[in-house]
Amino acid sequence: MSLDPQIAAIIEALDSGFPPVHTMTGEQARAVIRSRFVAPAEPEPVASVEDRTVPGPAGPVPVRVYRPHARADGPLPTMVFAHGGGWVFCDLDSHDGLCRAFTNGMSAVVVSVHYRRASEEGRWPAAAEDVYAVTAWVAAHIDEFGGDGSAVLVGGDSAGGNLAAVTALMARDRGGPALAAQVLLYPVIAADFDTASYRQFGEGFYNPRPALQWYWDQYVPSVEDRRDPYASPLSAEDLSGLPPAIAVVAGHDPLRDEGLAYVEALETAGVRTVCRYFEGGVHGFMTMPSFDICQRARTQVCADVADLVAGIGATAP
C-alpha cells in the first residue's frame, strides 16, 4: 500500500498539527477548529450562494444554498449535504469549498446543512433528525430551489456521511422523501475501533483513534444506542430498498474497513452501489484541494452523480 506522494510529503506535519480534541469539551474543540479556519481569498465562483433557514425538529436549521455557475436548462438535481467534523465541529464555512466544487461539477443545487452539533448543542439523534428534516423539507419545496423532484440526493463526508446514510434509512422507513442517491464520502458507519484499518492507521495518519472514539462519546455516549441503525447504519438488519449509493473510501483511513463493509452490505441487499477506492488517500482528503488526489476524487464523484441522474432521466416516463 502506498500513501499518495503529495500527502506523504506533509503527513507528519498534518498529523502533528491535529489538535488533541479528545482532551477538550465539544465547545473547546469547536473554538480551536474554528480559529484555524482560513477562507480562501478567491473561492470558486458559483451562480449564487444564499444563507437561509428551514424548519427543523427543534427550531430553524441554518442552510446554505449553492447554485451552479454554468447550468443546463430545466430543473436541476438537488443534493442535501451534511458536513463532517465528528458531529462536533466544522460548519457551513469549513465545507464551503467542497460544496462550491460539487454544485459546479454536478451542475446541481447543493443545500449544505448546519445541523445541531454534538455535546452542548445536542446529542444523538439530533444531527440525524435535522438532516432528515431538511431533506424532507427540500423535497417538498423542490420548486423553490429550481430542483428536479426525481433527483433529490443526500450526501456527506465523514460524520456527515453517517448522517447521509442515516437519512437514507429514515426516508425509507418513514415513507419518504424519495431519494435518487446517497453520496457517502469516507463515512463513519460503525462504532468499531478494532478493525484492521483502525489498527493500521489509527496513529500517524491525521485522524487518530482517540479523536474518533471521542467523537462517538460526544454524539452517542451510550454503547447500547450505538447499535441503533440510525447511529451505526452497518447495524441495520435490512438495507434493501435504499437509494443507489456512491461511496468514496480512502485507503489510509481508520474508517476504511467499515466503509468497505457497508459497500458490501449494500450490494448484498441489492442496492446499486458504486465504490471509488482511493488507495493513497487519508481521511478528509476531499477537503484538501491542493492535492491532485482530491481533485481526481471530486471529479469522479461529480461524474458518478451525473451518470446516475442521466439514468433517471432515461428511465423517466
Side-chain angles (χ1 to χ4, degrees):
M1 296 184 292
S2 178
L3 189 61
D4 177 84
Q6 289 180 309
I7 297 177
I10 64 168
I11 188 61
E12 290 187 10
L14 277 176
D15 188 63
S16 63
F18 192 90
V21 294
H22 61 284
T23 67
M24 305 176 187
T25 66
E27 185 176 75
Q28 289 170 337
R30 281 192 283 276
V32 167
I33 297 297
R34 181 69 189 182
S35 71
R36 295 181 173 209
F37 174 72
V38 178
E42 297 183 7
E44 180 175 342
V46 298
S48 66
V49 179
E50 176 192 6
D51 286 346
R52 59 176 297 178
T53 61
V54 301
V61 179
V63 301
R64 183 170 292 170
V65 182
Y66 300 82
R67 293 179 174 83
H69 186 62
R71 52 166 292 178
D73 293 333
L76 297 175
T78 301
M79 181 169 70
V80 177
F81 186 83
H83 65 75
W87 301 291
V88 180
F89 46 77
C90 291
D91 50 32
L92 299 179
D93 292 337
S94 65
H95 285 63
D96 181 75
L98 182 60
C99 290
R100 287 171 179 269
F102 277 166
T103 194
N104 284 335
M106 297 177 185
S107 192
V109 177
V110 173
V111 181
S112 184
V113 184
H114 187 51
Y115 51 83
R116 284 172 289 168
R117 294 166 299 180
S119 192
E120 291 84 350
E121 289 188 24
R123 299 190 187 275
W124 178 82
E129 292 291 357
D130 282 356
V131 176
Y132 171 77
V134 171
T135 304
W137 192 91
V138 167
H141 296 80
I142 197 68
D143 291 346
E144 290 186 28
F145 297 91
D148 179 351
S150 68
V152 177
L153 302 81
V154 64
D157 69 313
S158 190
N162 170 283
L163 299 176
V166 169
T167 294
L169 284 165
M170 288 179 167
R172 180 200 63 181
D173 297 345
R174 298 175 179 180
L179 298 176
Q182 49 184 321
V183 181
L184 313 177
L185 312 180
Y186 31 80
V188 183
I189 290 296
D192 181 356
F193 312 114
D194 196 37
T195 62
S197 57
Y198 257 99
R199 293 192 296 272
Q200 286 177 279
F201 307 117
E203 181 180 356
F205 289 89
Y206 184 60
N207 197 39
R209 182 190 309 206
L212 289 160
Q213 292 174 314
W214 179 82
Y215 301 149
W216 279 100
D217 291 341
Q218 304 307 301
Y219 183 52
V220 196
S222 165
V223 174
E224 182 177 353
D225 286 342
R226 292 178 187 180
R227 301 187 185 101
D228 192 297
Y230 292 169
S232 300
L234 193 56
S235 299
E237 295 181 2
D238 180 14
L239 294 173
S240 62
L242 290 174
I246 298 167
V248 170
V249 177
H252 288 68
D253 183 355
L255 306 185
R256 178 196 67 190
D257 290 355
E258 63 198 70
L260 292 174
Y262 198 56
V263 166
E264 181 179 2
L266 288 168
E267 291 175 338
T268 299
V271 177
R272 176 185 169 189
T273 305
V274 173
C275 180
R276 299 302 182 186
Y277 184 77
F278 290 85
E279 174 60 49
V282 294
H283 192 77
F285 78 95
M286 288 185 69
T287 55
M288 303 175 184
S290 63
F291 296 138
D292 294 342
I293 190 173
C294 168
Q295 298 301 332
R296 292 197 301 272
R298 290 182 178 187
T299 298
Q300 184 64 68
V301 169
C302 290
D304 289 334
V305 169
D307 287 346
L308 188 148
V309 171
I312 294 171
T315 58

